[in-house]
Structure formats: C-alpha cells, structure tokens
Amino acid sequence: MSDAITPFTLAVPQADLDDLKRRLAATRWPDKETVDDWTQGSPLARVQALCDHWRDGYDWRRAEAQINALPWAAANLDGAEVRYLRFEGEGSRNLPLILTNGWPSSFWELTGLARRLAEPTRWGGDAQDAFTVIIPCLPGFPMAQQQRELPGAAPVHELWHRLMRDELGFARYGAHGGDLGAGVTSLLGQQYPEAVAGIHLLSIAEPRSYDPGSVTLEEQRHLDALARWFAEEGAYEHQQMTRPMTLGYGLSDSPVGLLAWLVEKYWAWSDHGGRLSSVFSDDDILTQASLYWFTNCIGTSFRPYWEFGSGLAARVEQVEVPTAIAVFPKDLVQPPRSWAARTYRVTRYNRMSRGGHFAPHEQPGLLADDLAEFFRDLSL
C-alpha cells in the first residue's frame, strides 16, 4: 500500500478565468478559409462561435463542480502520484476493470461509460455484469503531472499495474483502452498476463514484423487505408512525434489555438453525420478544452508521441491474454481480425454499427455491452 494522499479539489482561480476571457477577447484571427468545409482545418466561423460561447456563455464553475463530485482518490507509488476515479460495482462479481483514455481525451470522456459499467441495472442490464471501474489520469494529461525523468521512472503500464495490484489489492483485473490507452492496455496484457484476465481494445499495435508475402487482400486494403490516413490526417501526429515543444508554445499561450487544434479532431474522428452537436455539444468540447487549458497540459500530452518516435517507449511485441477488439466505423482505421491476430490472441472481434474515435463518449451503451459480453465468460 502507498502512503496516504490528502484528497484534492479542482479550484481554478478566478484570475485564471479572467485571463482566459481576456485572451479570447484579444484574439487576432486568421483570414477565413477558402473552402466551404473542414478540408483546410477548423473553419473560422465555427471556431469564433465556440470562442464566443467560451467567453460569454460557458459555465466552467458548473463543470468544475461536476468534476469535483466524481469519486476521486490518489496513490503515491514511490514518489509517483497517481490520481484516479473509482466507481464501485453494484453486483457480487464486480470484476475490477481499468480504463485508459487516448488523445486528445481525458478521464472526463470515460465517466459516462464507467457509470454504465458499474451500475448496469440503471440502463436495463444485469447486476452480475457490473465492474468496479478504475480510471487513472494519464501522466501529462488533465489532472496529472508529467513525470520529470526521461524516460519516466516507471512506464505508465507499470504504474497502472502497481495501482491495481499493490494499492487496490486486485489480484486479477481486466483492462480497456483506445488510441494511446490501447497501447498502455496492450502492454499491461503483455507484461502481466498472470494478473490481467483480458484486454479490450479500440485500436491495436501494428505487428512489429511480418512477411509481406503473407499479407491477405483484406489486410492489404487495411495497409493501404492506413497509408492514406497518414497522408491525409497524420500531420498532427508527425508534428507531435517530432517537434512537440515548438507546437506547444502556441497552444499553451493561445486558447483559440488550443480549441481549434482539438475541435478539428472531434469533427474528423467522430461519427456525427455532418452535425457535430449530435455527439459533442459545445459544452462537451469546451469542458475538454478548459481541462487542457487550466491545467496547461497540452504540451505534456504530446510527450508519449515523442517518446514513441524516439524509441524510448516500450513496444508491444506479442500479447497472449484473451483480447477483444471493437472496431468503430468512424475511427481512424479499421484493422481486420487477421491483422490483429498477428500480435494478439483475439478471442472476440466486433465491428460496431456506429461510433468513432471517441466511442466511450459517442456510444457508451454499445461499448458497455461489448465489454460486458467479453468479460462475462473470462475466468478470474
């Protein structure tokens, strides 16, 4: 067990709120885009409307109170502070389940999913499918400081395992993640198969090596789609992987720059059918942007990209624990089952009917059902 940590409260100083409004009011805007869509990036009118609401309509104090009302806890793991949420399961089985978000997300995106998983009967489910859900805050993301060492004194997956086993006393647990969180979750399964009952992923690690002659037609289509995605959508990743500091100056200093960087991803990566408000309200977007802004963590959230690109991050080689993959149609890529099976022991593969990169927020019901079905029959 770790040393006790005094409970904390998020309390943004009024001076910081006033400073945000001042910066928003003083924005120097670029010229309007020359197209009528999002192909040049976040459209001027859309960003201006969001900024007007951020300055004059959005209620941060309401969001702050909702965040503080969550079931927070913290652990000190040999000097590494890990803040996390714990949602107690309502059933008698209550498999422990750790959820890890990706980028540009935070713990906040996972809370609706966590409630469904912990209390399934509120949504017509079975109490025997309930989980005790743990949501740690990724280092360098909202509510969590980045580790100062390079690389960190302990990899994230090691911190997560120590939190679950040593701090919380779970001998066996499940894990779920998407995007960056899928990498952390994959490493948990790879490194601690004696403790991890199974992993549930929204994206996969590409095989470290393979025989090009063994690639099937379906797999080649996936590789072609992946190459197109990098060419058309991957500039952000290349910048965050190669020159994160240079990008961080502008996004840490300009709330409009930060907001435009984030909202472009919500538009491009979610399943909204041309109406973003159908899955993300303006307040949803601004709460995430505010969390990044007030904690000044957009720059540190890029660090996992740089560490991976620089060869400092642990790599997924082969995962032998049972693995479920939920492929959402508007996520970045849709790897076929056979491609995933080159790296994972895939025991469940499901192409979902709707949803995108932010599936825990977009489709928490579909995702909760898939998680419950996967873990229902796994041995603890």
Side-chain angles (χ1 to χ4, degrees):
M1 299 292 286
S2 69
D3 296 332
I5 292 181
T6 303
F8 56 90
T9 300
L10 178 61
V12 173
Q14 185 60 43
D16 289 359
L17 284 167
D18 295 340
D19 176 66
L20 171 61
K21 292 188 176 185
R22 178 189 62 78
R23 289 171 183 261
L24 292 170
T27 299
R28 184 172 70 170
W29 297 99
D31 288 345
K32 185 181 184 301
E33 64 279 0
T34 56
V35 294
D36 294 326
D37 53 29
W38 289 67
T39 55
Q40 291 182 352
S42 300
L44 179 64
R46 184 71 183 101
V47 177
Q48 286 179 325
L50 278 168
C51 287
D52 288 345
H53 183 52
W54 204 2
R55 186 182 67 243
D56 297 325
Y58 172 72
D59 186 353
W60 164 253
R61 293 302 185 198
R62 178 175 179 271
E64 186 180 69
Q66 292 173 331
I67 292 166
N68 285 327
L70 294 170
W72 286 104
N76 186 334
L77 304 176
D78 293 335
E81 180 180 285
V82 177
R83 292 178 175 178
Y84 63 95
L85 297 169
R86 177 170 179 159
F87 294 82
E88 295 291 349
E90 66 177 347
S92 58
R93 184 170 180 256
N94 293 339
L95 171 69
L97 180 67
I98 187 167
L99 310 181
T100 309
N101 61 270
W103 188 91
S105 303
S106 71
F107 67 89
W108 183 246
E109 179 188 307
L110 296 171
T111 55
L113 173 64
R115 291 188 179 97
R116 287 177 177 267
L117 292 170
E119 300 180 85
T121 59
R122 291 181 58 188
W123 286 270
D126 188 335
Q128 293 307 303
D129 287 332
F131 298 84
T132 290
V133 181
I134 307 299
I135 305 175
C137 296
L138 277 170
F141 281 64
M143 304 294 283
Q145 291 184 342
Q146 183 58 272
Q147 298 187 69
R148 297 303 179 189
E149 302 88 353
L150 188 64
V156 173
H157 67 278
E158 182 178 319
L159 287 175
W160 277 199
H161 178 64
R162 292 176 61 191
L163 172 68
M164 296 295 280
R165 183 195 61 187
D166 302 337
E167 175 70 15
L168 300 177
F170 299 135
R172 293 278 281 171
Y173 60 90
H176 160 83
D179 191 65
L180 292 177
V184 174
T185 301
S186 298
L187 288 167
L188 273 174
Q190 176 177 281
Q191 297 301 118
Y192 304 107
E194 74 286 352
V196 178
I199 61 173
H200 186 282
L201 305 175
L202 303 183
S203 57
I204 66 167
E206 295 292 305
R208 292 300 305 276
S209 62
Y210 59 91
D211 175 9
S214 69
V215 175
T216 68
L217 180 60
E218 183 184 29
E219 290 173 339
Q220 187 59 54
R221 288 171 178 160
H222 163 68
L223 292 174
D224 292 344
L226 186 62
R228 286 194 302 273
W229 182 85
F230 272 111
E232 297 169 3
E233 292 281 344
Y236 84 96
E237 183 173 24
H238 188 70
Q239 179 70 19
Q240 292 175 188
M241 190 179 292
T242 58
R243 299 294 185 270
M245 278 299 298
T246 306
L247 177 62
Y249 291 114
L251 302 190
S252 297
D253 186 62
S254 168
V256 172
L258 170 65
L259 179 60
W261 194 255
L262 296 179
V263 74
E264 176 194 298
K265 305 312 173 194
Y266 293 127
W267 173 269
W269 299 347
S270 63
D271 189 6
H272 52 72
R275 189 167 61 90
L276 185 57
S277 61
S278 67
V279 289
F280 283 99
S281 70
D282 287 357
D283 280 6
D284 290 332
I285 295 167
L286 293 176
T287 295
Q288 287 282 38
S290 296
L291 278 166
Y292 274 86
W293 178 258
F294 289 128
T295 60
N296 192 21
C297 70
I298 188 63
T300 53
S301 77
F302 299 156
R303 183 166 138 182
Y305 290 87
W306 187 85
E307 289 189 354
F308 185 86
S310 300
L312 297 175
R315 301 298 177 105
V316 178
E317 302 284 349
Q318 198 71 38
V319 181
E320 299 297 341
V321 300
T323 301
I325 299 167
V327 178
F328 284 83
K330 294 298 183 180
D331 206 346
L332 311 187
V333 291
Q334 288 79 46
R337 179 171 185 150
S338 63
W339 190 248
R342 292 172 180 262
T343 305
Y344 301 87
R345 181 157 72 93
V346 180
T347 59
R348 178 181 175 87
Y349 179 92
N350 195 6
R351 288 191 174 271
M352 311 301 280
S353 59
R354 57 191 181 278
H357 186 68
F358 306 96
H361 176 91
E362 296 176 60
Q363 297 295 336
L366 288 179
L367 186 51
D369 288 346
D370 202 65
L371 280 156
E373 290 175 17
F374 171 59
F375 283 106
R376 187 177 294 143
D377 297 326
L378 289 187
S379 171
L380 299 188

